[in-house]
Amino acid sequence: MDDSADDEPTMPGMDLPETPAPAASSGPYRVLARKYRPQTFAELIGQDAMVKTLGNAIARDRLAHAFLMTGVRGVGKTSTARLIAKALNCIGPDGQGGPTIDPCGVCEPCRAITEGRHIDVIEMDAASNTGVDDVREIIEAVRYAAVSARYKIYIIDEVHMLSRNAFNALLKTLEEPPPHVKFLFATTEVNKVPVTVLSRCQRFDLRRITPDMLFAHFSAILQKEGVEAEAPAIWLIANAAEGSVRDGLSILDQAIAHADLDGGGRIGADQVRTMLGLSDRTAIAQLMAAILEGDSGGAIDLARAQYALGIEPVAMVRGLMDLTHAVTLAKVSRHDDPALAASDRERIGDWAKKLGFAPLNRLWQLLLKGHDEVLRATNPLEHLEMLLLRVIYAASLPDPGELAKLLESGGVPAMPLGAPPAPTGRESAAAAGPVPESAETPASALTIAQIHQLLESTGHHQLARQVYDDLKLVELEPGLLVYAPVPALDGDFARRLGEALLAQTGSRWQVRSGEGEGRPSLGQMRAAKLADNESRIRELPVVKAALAAFPDARLVEDDANHQRLNP
């Protein structure tokens, strides 16, 4: 009997799976931001002006002793400092080269600087070394010549973090350093760097990288990585980077991992949108349509549906702001977002044709104010719903100038002020009718309003005020005026009014108090009419919407005795 295991029968179900050989390790994974850090000035995207200036300075041997790179995060400040260090210390493949804007990358100084091990290129993080003692170490070391390089170079990152004493200690050395020393500073907050330091440096403002440059850069990296991606997905990442290459590469790293798990290795726009927590464009477009159509219930339902899917209310507000911005730019033919689908472009174009600049501007202002409210809210969904209602009722309102024109032209019905005017000068004359041309006006031609105006125009101001405010007419006939007794009209009132009417009309008047309550005075009739007008004006749809959008607004009377909304 053969003892060989190969000859032994195998029991069904006991076959062991073959274990694959472990893949050869290629070392720890390096994130894209480190893996694709620019190693030459040609790889530094978006900074052509600075590269040209440095190239000319190197070619003419007019190198400053200190450089300051400033700009937003991730645009290449530290990378630029390292490239300058390589450019100044490169000796070429044959070891005979001098400073060059195109360092070879193969000589020992270039390789050592790239690997961060060059003894004469010292990098310091000012956020961790802020004190004057750290700067004193630099001051002591600059006296000694470089060990193996052409220049001893100090790269200080986030230099604005140095303390005031540290800056002061550095000033003299920075102004007159030894010829073998160069200082390279990088900062995101140049306004915090003392002007005494700025004046001693050659400053380079690194620009934000445009979305189209980022799109091309990320597309090339994806090709090198062997990862497929939809163009709209890359555009979304480029826009989300906000001009920062490092931020964009971090997002791209995350998108690749997300695609590996969920997208079969292909980066899709929907996956990127979900990953970034962006609201769905289609849902935002539907929400915008509901706002423009005044469908308050539909808008709230759409917002709640998005919230249930995990979209934050503030992201929905941002989506509406982005869409409003896109429509406004489309009106001036300046909107070009490659990440948009053809249907989205068509929708934006249609809205741009239908909406004017004034409604779009009001919509933007309402959303901008609401964005901060939703962002700070303890219950963001409730604030979003209130914001949507406010926008629906206020975005399509005419501005105050347009509203005034509508009231004057009859576009919004103006309420007639049938009541007599206030008892003052021209205003009294306008409401009472034509002023009598002669002092002796027939008594039969006078109404109570004309009597009031006649008294006012002839200097009987006290009598005119009493007639307007307190006189409740019981009977008025030619030569007879009977009024209801009120405490404000003393016993001498009837005599004084009769004498004034005799003097102005040439006819004798019988003026006395009678029985009954009488009709309301001129002032009471006017107040009642104004209240009725205000009530009817408040019922106008345009005014109701304005008051709903601006609760603190009130109705006031202007000089022409018309009423209009005054925020």
Side-chain angles (χ1 to χ4, degrees):
M1 184 176 178
D2 192 351
D3 294 334
S4 173
D6 293 336
D7 296 334
E8 295 180 0
T10 305
M11 295 182 62
M14 296 296 292
D15 294 321
L16 297 176
E18 294 184 2
T19 303
S25 176
S26 57
Y29 175 71
R30 297 180 68 198
V31 296
L32 298 179
R34 294 188 59 196
K35 185 176 181 180
Y36 292 99
R37 184 187 291 273
Q39 300 302 321
T40 65
F41 282 105
E43 297 176 3
L44 188 67
I45 62 174
Q47 313 299 342
D48 296 340
M50 181 197 66
V51 173
K52 183 177 181 181
T53 302
L54 284 173
N56 291 341
I58 292 173
R60 297 175 182 176
D61 195 20
R62 300 178 65 87
L63 291 169
H65 58 271
F67 298 89
L68 175 69
M69 275 67 68
T70 180
V72 299
R73 67 197 183 281
V75 293
K77 300 181 296 295
T78 306
S79 295
T80 299
R82 292 175 181 174
L83 289 176
I84 293 175
K86 289 168 66 174
L88 297 182
N89 284 327
C90 178
I91 59 175
D94 58 358
Q96 303 299 318
T100 174
I101 195 63
D102 296 312
C104 66
V106 297
C107 65
E108 177 56 26
C110 284
R111 288 188 289 110
I113 293 172
T114 300
E115 297 168 6
R117 56 179 176 82
H118 200 294
I119 193 173
D120 292 318
V121 177
I122 300 96
E123 290 193 33
M124 186 181 87
D125 178 20
S128 305
N129 303 274
T130 62
V132 66
D133 292 335
D134 301 304
V135 172
R136 285 198 182 110
E137 291 182 9
I138 297 176
I139 296 173
E140 292 294 328
V142 296
R143 296 183 299 174
Y144 303 104
V147 176
S148 61
R150 187 178 294 112
Y151 294 102
K152 177 179 284 191
I153 296 177
Y154 290 90
I155 300 175
I156 304 181
D157 202 6
E158 299 300 336
V159 69
H160 67 274
M161 299 292 287
L162 288 179
S163 66
R164 179 177 297 276
N165 289 337
F167 274 124
N168 291 335
L170 186 62
L171 282 180
K172 187 61 177 177
T173 302
L174 184 61
E175 184 173 19
E176 298 178 359
H180 60 271
V181 173
K182 302 290 183 185
F183 288 98
L184 305 177
F185 300 143
T187 179
T188 53
E189 300 184 50
V190 69
N191 58 301
K192 294 185 178 180
V193 179
V195 292
T196 50
V197 173
L198 294 176
S199 64
R200 291 165 167 82
C201 300
Q202 190 170 103
R203 173 174 167 175
F204 292 105
D205 290 84
L206 277 66
R207 300 180 179 179
R208 290 179 181 268
I209 313 303
T210 60
D212 55 337
M213 288 183 177
L214 290 174
F215 177 85
H217 186 56
F218 297 160
S219 298
I221 289 176
L222 287 170
Q223 187 174 4
K224 294 177 182 177
E225 292 291 313
V227 178
E228 295 184 5
E230 298 176 359
I234 305 176
W235 279 114
L236 286 172
I237 296 173
N239 288 325
E242 297 181 345
S244 169
V245 181
R246 184 175 62 239
D247 287 8
L249 289 176
S250 298
I251 298 172
L252 189 61
D253 241 334
Q254 185 179 357
I256 293 173
H258 193 79
D260 285 339
L261 294 175
D262 302 331
R266 180 180 176 84
I267 301 175
D270 291 339
Q271 293 172 335
V272 173
R273 191 178 299 280
T274 301
M275 181 187 75
L276 295 177
L278 301 177
S279 54
D280 180 64
R281 283 186 186 271
T282 302
I284 291 298
Q286 293 173 346
L287 187 57
M288 177 68 84
I291 290 173
L292 298 179
E293 293 169 4
D295 183 5
S296 55
I300 290 178
D301 289 342
L302 286 168
R304 290 178 177 176
Q306 285 290 289
Y307 185 75
L309 293 175
I311 304 301
E312 291 296 327
V314 71
M316 287 183 255
V317 180
R318 288 186 188 129
L320 289 171
M321 293 177 67
D322 291 342
L323 194 50
T324 304
H325 178 253
V327 174
T328 307
L329 289 185
K331 287 191 68 66
V332 293
S333 302
R334 288 297 182 273
H335 179 254
D336 184 20
D337 186 354
L340 284 181
S343 59
D344 294 329
R345 291 174 183 272
E346 183 178 356
R347 185 186 296 114
I348 289 174
D350 290 340
W351 282 334
K353 293 176 183 177
K354 295 176 182 178
L355 297 174
F357 283 109
L360 285 170
N361 181 61
R362 282 192 295 278
L363 179 58
W364 173 264
Q365 294 297 331
L366 289 166
L367 290 172
L368 184 63
K369 184 175 185 295
H371 176 272
D372 292 339
E373 295 176 357
V374 175
L375 188 63
R376 297 193 303 266
T378 54
N379 192 326
L381 181 60
E382 289 183 358
H383 279 71
L384 174 63
E385 292 175 351
M386 295 303 294
L387 171 62
L388 292 176
L389 294 176
R390 186 193 315 165
V391 169
I392 287 172
Y393 285 106
S396 59
L397 290 179
D399 58 34
E402 292 175 348
L403 183 59
K405 292 178 182 177
L406 287 172
L407 289 169
E408 293 174 2
S409 65
V412 176
M415 301 304 165
L417 300 178
T424 53
R426 296 180 180 178
E427 187 176 351
S428 301
V435 179
E437 294 184 1
S438 65
E440 296 184 357
T441 302
S444 60
L446 293 179
T447 65
I448 188 62
Q450 289 175 322
I451 289 175
H452 161 259
Q453 189 274 333
L454 180 63
L455 294 171
E456 182 69 43
S457 63
T458 56
H460 297 83
H461 300 302
Q462 183 180 3
L463 276 174
R465 173 56 63 183
Q466 287 178 305
V467 168
Y468 187 88
D469 288 340
D470 305 313
L471 191 146
K472 296 182 178 181
L473 193 64
V474 174
E475 184 179 356
L476 179 60
E477 295 180 2
L480 176 64
L481 190 155
V482 182
Y483 60 90
V486 294
L489 301 179
D490 54 23
D492 196 40
F493 170 76
R495 181 189 62 80
R496 290 185 295 111
L497 180 57
E499 291 177 354
L501 291 174
L502 172 62
Q504 300 304 322
T505 65
S507 300
R508 187 172 298 279
W509 281 75
Q510 183 182 358
V511 180
R512 60 181 175 83
S513 64
E515 297 180 355
E517 295 183 357
R519 287 176 286 175
S521 67
L522 296 176
Q524 290 173 332
M525 286 191 291
R526 177 175 173 78
K529 194 63 179 180
L530 289 175
D532 180 63
N533 284 343
E534 179 175 339
S535 176
R536 287 190 285 172
I537 288 174
R538 285 179 178 273
E539 291 302 315
L540 294 174
V542 66
V543 178
K544 288 179 70 175
L547 293 174
F550 305 99
D552 295 332
R554 59 191 179 90
L555 290 172
V556 298
E557 181 186 359
D558 67 9
D559 293 338
N561 294 323
H562 293 293
Q563 291 189 349
R564 56 191 172 93
L565 190 65
N566 184 30

